[in-house]
Amino acid sequence: MQPINRRQFVAGAAVAAAAVTTTACTPTGPGSRPTATVYRGRPPVDTSALPYADRTDFANADRGFLGRLEPGKVTGRDGTVVYDADAYSFLSGEAPATADPSLWRQGQLAAKQGLYQVTDRIYQVRGLDLANMTLVEGDTGVLVIDTLTSSETAAAALGLYRRHRGDRPITGVIYTHSHVDHFGGTGGISPPDGVPVLAPEGFMEHAVTENVYAGTAMSRRAAYMYGAPLERSPEGQIGCGLGQAVATGTTTLVPPTEIIAKTGERRTIDGITIEFQMTPGGEAPAEMNFYFPDLKALCVAENLNHTMHNIITLRGAQVRDARQWSHYLTETITLFGGRAEVAFGSHHWPTWGTDEITDLVGRQRDLYAYLHDQTLRLINQGRTPAEIAETLVLPPVLDREWANRGYYGSLSHNVKGIYQRYMGWFDGNPAHLWEHPPAEQAKRWVEVMGGAAAGIEQARSYAERGDLRFAATLLNHCVFAEPDNDQAKRELANVHTALGQMSENAVWRNFYLTAALELREGRKPGGPSSSSPSMMAALTVDQIIDSIAIRVNGPEAWDLALAMDWEVTDENRIWHLRLANGVLTYRSDEVPDTDARLVLSLTKQQLLDLLREPDLTGIRHTGDPGVLAALVGVLDQPDPGFGIVTP
């Protein structure tokens, strides 16, 4: 039988104006160069008074160093570079005018690459992916905590460890939480059959759904957030705040064999005793901290970092619960604070000393609690998200803490996330209830400004006075009203470049600079992959159908009615699919439906193969194959390169 349709069936997944200096600019590389003018205004955050003389973080980041991966490039089988730690060698110098000195300092710390001894029997590989790989030596082998994003970087990290510590077998794996940079590389370390793989309750559901349902949109925005297309340079991408970059390469998902469900649970793996603390709904929907009592070492997963984290990520995700997050950190102090002599996490460098650990956890706990409580206080005074973000400041003792600086999350976008969690998108002003969409609104703005040329001149005037924010607003309207207006795009690119290069927040910088790159050179699709074959294989049949349902083009399917059964033989169940009124619904049981016009009998793997290529050859079926063709015919193909800074 010929294929029904060759389309993919499932998707792969408050600042005052300041004096301005205007200088000619020489091109310095793709993704970073202004084309005419460099604007300077007051940066979003003043970092000049921070305690730069305090070198404690540098001493901790260097402590226990054993050796680097040389050269610091990790490649795939075809020679493609999937991670390049050496690309950040430029960070060894002083902060240039094109980078905020606080963010530059964070990049210097996060870019340190190599194998480090944390304490007796505990080692970390840092700087070979966005996250860390931690290795704990047991009686006969080594327990691996978090396996990075890709198989290639995981294999390189394990190889670096074994080069210094010997070829110890893997005797266990722990996933601290359900984000892909902590489990995607497991295929690269090849844990033997029978080795326990531990994860927090809810891990599988959250690990796959976040990367599939809205995966295409998240991947597109993640390219902006992590600066994927930007040159690594003082003018371009200098890191992500949480780490330097997300590795590309092969992402895998090896399902856990044991689930941790309750705080206080204990496990012993290869002679290593572990006590667990569950933290669901904090930094991740499924996450856990844990303590090694014999080693007096605490793993804080990604609940504690040397940066303010995201309450809402700019790539898109569900809003995190800042209140619950702060409560978990209080519990961490209660459970482990008086016992731990070293705390290490899934990102950044460790902290040593019982008092130092308690102080760090306490101040970051207070950070999230303050953001939550003060945002709610201002909400109840009638403040809108933008007003809260513009006026809320941290207490000085929290603000001057290096680990609380907004390199990854920011105070500005985090308080907007807290507002969203409680109040939704609407600020209560009916003028914002039914606004025109961006392109239509932009046309009217340009008309009011007297045309795009006049709008560009007004924007340039604001930029020269240092009000880059309003200049960006005016120029954005010009671009959306006239997408082919190259002058408007050039001017907006220059403003975005200035805004990015003065930002302390790494992902703000990456967003602004990636926007500038695309305005100058066109769209640059590409970012962390939203799915992989092993990720898709981890979906339940229900989740597979859900991932199809969100692609149904409702208007095209309004008048289409169809019914079919999927008998998934290795699940011993039948899924009854119905398309009507533009909606794909389903239920499952063990009884065939006599109304089904097409019945497929297949394994789950055959189902996944069918979804990649809807060809019924080799699949047992009865009824009308046209039913499948009709469904495929009303499925939209996700667009991985959709416009962000243009309509």
Side-chain angles (χ1 to χ4, degrees):
M1 175 179 287
Q2 292 298 312
I4 291 171
N5 191 314
R6 290 287 177 181
R7 282 198 313 176
Q8 278 191 322
F9 200 5
V10 171
V15 180
V20 62
T21 59
T22 306
T23 59
C25 182
T26 302
T28 55
S32 59
R33 57 185 186 276
T35 56
T37 302
V38 176
Y39 293 113
R40 297 288 175 209
R42 182 175 297 175
V45 178
D46 183 3
T47 63
S48 60
L50 291 171
Y52 290 97
D54 179 1
R55 303 289 290 179
T56 303
D57 284 337
F58 286 89
N60 285 343
D62 288 332
R63 181 169 171 171
F65 175 74
L66 295 176
R68 288 172 47 88
L69 181 70
E70 297 285 1
K73 290 184 179 181
V74 179
T75 58
R77 291 182 179 178
D78 61 356
T80 301
V81 176
V82 301
Y83 193 86
D84 187 357
D86 294 340
Y88 295 99
S89 60
F90 64 85
L91 285 163
S92 60
E94 295 296 318
T98 54
D100 176 86
S102 176
L103 178 59
W104 187 265
R105 173 189 180 279
Q106 182 76 354
Q108 289 178 322
L109 288 161
K112 292 178 181 291
Q113 181 260 107
L115 176 69
Y116 298 80
Q117 183 170 11
V118 175
T119 189
D120 181 41
R121 295 167 60 184
I122 300 181
Y123 299 81
Q124 279 192 320
V125 177
R126 304 198 288 268
L128 288 181
D129 205 324
L130 186 70
N132 302 331
M133 177 186 286
T134 303
L135 305 108
V136 184
E137 295 177 354
D139 293 344
T140 62
V142 64
L143 169 67
V144 179
I145 302 171
D146 290 345
T147 61
L148 310 183
T149 307
S150 76
S151 295
E152 293 84 352
T153 54
L158 181 61
L160 179 61
Y161 164 80
R162 284 175 168 167
R163 197 170 307 142
H164 289 270
R165 298 295 302 163
D167 193 13
R168 300 167 186 262
I170 295 172
T171 49
V173 175
I174 298 179
Y175 301 141
T176 59
H177 62 291
S178 53
H179 294 154
V180 70
D181 51 322
H182 305 277
F183 65 79
T186 307
I189 65 172
S190 302
D193 291 342
V195 164
V197 179
L198 278 63
E201 186 175 37
F203 172 84
M204 284 298 288
E205 175 188 355
H206 296 295
V208 297
T209 55
E210 181 175 285
N211 291 282
V212 174
Y213 289 173
T216 300
M218 284 186 181
S219 294
R220 175 70 171 121
R221 282 170 50 165
Y224 270 61
M225 179 171 171
Y226 296 110
L230 296 175
E231 179 185 49
R232 276 55 172 152
S233 74
E235 296 80 24
Q237 201 260 23
I238 59 176
C240 303
L242 195 65
Q244 291 306 94
V246 180
T248 55
T250 307
T251 299
T252 56
L253 175 54
V254 175
T257 62
E258 296 184 31
I259 296 299
I260 306 299
K262 294 180 181 179
T263 293
E265 284 193 49
R266 294 170 68 100
R267 293 286 193 280
T268 299
I269 301 175
D270 194 18
I272 306 166
T273 301
I274 313 168
E275 301 176 15
F276 293 91
Q277 177 199 5
M278 306 309 297
T279 64
E283 189 276 332
E287 190 157 1
M288 59 188 181
N289 297 334
F290 41 93
Y291 179 68
F292 299 92
D294 298 332
L295 306 177
K296 300 186 184 305
L298 171 64
C299 176
V300 291
E302 203 167 325
N303 291 305
L304 183 76
N305 302 277
H306 289 281
T307 178
M308 180 193 302
H309 211 292
N310 285 301
I311 301 303
I312 185 168
T313 69
L314 299 188
R315 66 178 171 85
Q318 295 182 10
V319 179
R320 294 156 186 173
D321 188 343
R323 180 191 62 85
Q324 188 63 55
W325 196 335
S326 69
H327 288 336
Y328 286 139
L329 292 177
T330 295
E331 185 179 57
T332 299
I333 295 173
T334 301
L335 291 173
F336 312 120
R339 297 191 285 160
E341 295 180 358
V342 62
F344 62 90
S346 300
H347 297 272
H348 299 143
W349 52 96
T351 298
W352 286 267
T354 299
D355 292 342
E356 289 78 4
I357 293 167
T358 300
D359 184 61
L360 177 62
V361 177
R363 290 195 180 182
Q364 199 146 101
R365 178 267 318 275
D366 292 349
L367 165 70
Y368 296 126
Y370 191 88
L371 290 178
H372 175 271
D373 296 349
Q374 295 306 304
T375 299
L376 266 293
R377 178 180 67 85
L378 294 170
I379 286 173
N380 287 321
Q381 290 182 359
R383 303 289 184 90
T384 65
E387 290 168 342
I388 299 171
E390 198 73 7
T391 58
L392 185 61
V393 294
L394 292 175
V397 70
L398 297 181
D399 193 47
R400 287 174 60 83
E401 178 80 30
W402 284 116
N404 286 350
R405 301 301 301 177
Y407 304 116
Y408 193 54
S410 76
L411 185 150
S412 178
H413 75 253
N414 276 344
V415 299
K416 294 171 184 174
I418 295 168
Y419 187 103
Q420 178 182 322
R421 182 177 182 88
Y422 286 94
M423 303 299 291
W425 64 269
F426 182 44
D427 66 3
N429 185 339
H432 302 149
L433 189 59
W434 191 35
E435 293 181 302
H436 288 291
E440 290 302 314
Q441 188 175 120
K443 293 173 185 176
R444 289 157 176 80
W445 267 81
V446 168
E447 182 180 9
V448 170
M449 287 188 286
I456 292 169
E457 286 304 312
Q458 292 176 49
R460 185 180 291 123
S461 175
Y462 277 102
E464 289 173 350
R465 285 182 277 160
D467 192 349
L468 301 178
R469 299 164 74 186
F470 194 62
T473 297
L474 294 182
L475 290 166
N476 186 67
H477 286 312
C478 293
V479 169
F480 269 69
E482 298 183 6
D484 296 326
N485 190 320
D486 290 336
Q487 183 184 7
K489 288 192 284 189
R490 285 195 302 270
E491 290 290 339
L492 182 54
N494 292 336
V495 170
H496 280 334
T497 297
L499 286 166
Q501 291 183 347
M502 67 175 61
S503 177
E504 183 191 23
N505 185 277
V507 297
W508 282 36
R509 178 186 175 97
N510 292 338
F511 253 85
Y512 279 126
L513 296 185
T514 303
L517 174 66
E518 293 201 351
L519 286 164
R520 292 178 181 129
E521 300 182 9
R523 297 178 191 174
K524 306 286 183 181
S529 175
S530 64
S531 62
S532 66
S534 66
M535 191 84 72
M536 296 300 294
L539 292 172
T540 65
V541 177
D542 284 6
Q543 290 169 335
I544 291 171
I545 301 173
D546 284 339
S547 70
I548 299 170
I550 61 178
R551 292 182 51 213
V552 171
N553 185 314
E556 288 189 9
W558 283 347
D559 299 323
L560 184 63
L562 59 84
M564 67 173 134
D565 279 3
W566 291 356
E567 181 185 359
V568 183
T569 55
D570 46 351
E571 300 272 348
N572 294 316
R573 291 190 71 80
I574 301 173
W575 274 261
H576 310 286
L577 283 69
R578 300 291 179 272
L579 180 64
N581 304 313
V583 178
L584 182 66
T585 59
Y586 63 93
R587 60 184 175 83
S588 69
D589 54 36
E590 300 173 356
V591 182
D593 188 342
T594 57
D595 292 332
R597 293 174 50 209
L598 174 66
V599 177
L600 308 181
S601 181
L602 70 181
T603 65
K604 182 182 173 185
Q605 184 57 54
Q606 286 179 311
L607 174 59
L608 290 169
D609 294 340
L610 178 67
L611 301 184
R612 282 190 289 270
E613 186 64 71
D615 179 357
L616 292 177
T617 302
I619 293 177
R620 286 197 297 126
H621 63 279
T622 58
D624 180 9
V627 172
L628 180 61
L631 174 60
V632 171
V634 294
L635 297 183
D636 274 352
Q637 185 69 15
D639 179 4
F642 58 79
I644 292 178
V645 289
T646 54

